[in-house]
Amino acid sequence: MPNLLQPQIDGPLKVQGEIEILAADGTLLRKTAEAWLCRCGGSSSKPFCDGTHAKAGFREAARVGSYQPKTLEPVAPGTGLRISLRTNGPLRCVGEMRIEGADNSTWSGTQASLCRCGGSKNKPFCDGTHRNIGFEAA
């Protein structure tokens, strides 16, 4: 069973499985079976959710659209999910994963860049909007 990612309606990204979350410099931030990651861009504890989405009025239906990764890295079958932070950019996810939307939409694959600025028009996937809105995060 691949790792499961579930964007929450108007809220964070719930991630379950064999997960490693890495800082932009490659430092291990957390190895866990479950994490709640910020999707609104406002958390003071990025990449983790601190509830800011509710105060900020973040609205998102948690649907999963189409996505084609631009960069492919080799991925060994049955490996965990490595989530690497990109400075001022998305969450880079590598490993077997399934993304399930609140409306039962799904996407499966081994590599994805996920929005953490709150601005993408293709959430949960990154569309590069972070560059245009001045998103800042380590």
Side-chain angles (χ1 to χ4, degrees):
M1 180 74 163
N3 302 289
L4 180 62
L5 295 83
Q6 297 172 301
Q8 305 297 297
I9 295 172
D10 302 333
L13 179 67
K14 180 181 180 183
V15 184
Q16 295 175 296
E18 187 181 329
I19 307 155
E20 288 186 344
I21 302 171
L22 306 171
D25 67 3
T27 303
L28 179 65
L29 296 175
R30 188 176 294 177
K31 187 171 186 169
T32 186
E34 182 176 288
W36 294 83
L37 303 177
C38 176
R39 294 193 313 133
C40 75
S43 174
S44 61
S45 59
K46 293 178 192 79
F48 305 102
C49 175
D50 68 358
T52 298
H53 58 273
K55 293 176 242 161
F58 179 68
R59 298 287 175 256
E60 207 279 311
R63 291 184 193 98
V64 177
S66 62
Y67 178 75
Q68 182 64 41
K70 293 179 183 175
T71 306
L72 293 176
E73 301 173 34
V75 176
T79 59
L81 182 64
R82 187 179 71 240
I83 302 174
S84 301
L85 309 181
R86 297 294 192 236
T87 302
N88 303 328
L91 300 169
R92 179 75 178 135
C93 303
V94 177
E96 294 178 350
M97 72 189 100
R98 178 178 172 87
I99 302 175
E100 293 182 352
D103 62 350
N104 294 320
S105 55
T106 62
W107 180 89
S108 294
T110 60
Q111 298 174 54
S113 291
L114 302 181
C115 177
R116 66 178 183 135
C117 74
S120 175
K121 303 291 186 255
N122 191 32
K123 290 180 201 78
F125 304 107
C126 174
D127 69 0
T129 297
H130 58 274
R131 291 187 290 266
N132 301 328
I133 63 173
F135 177 69
E136 292 184 8

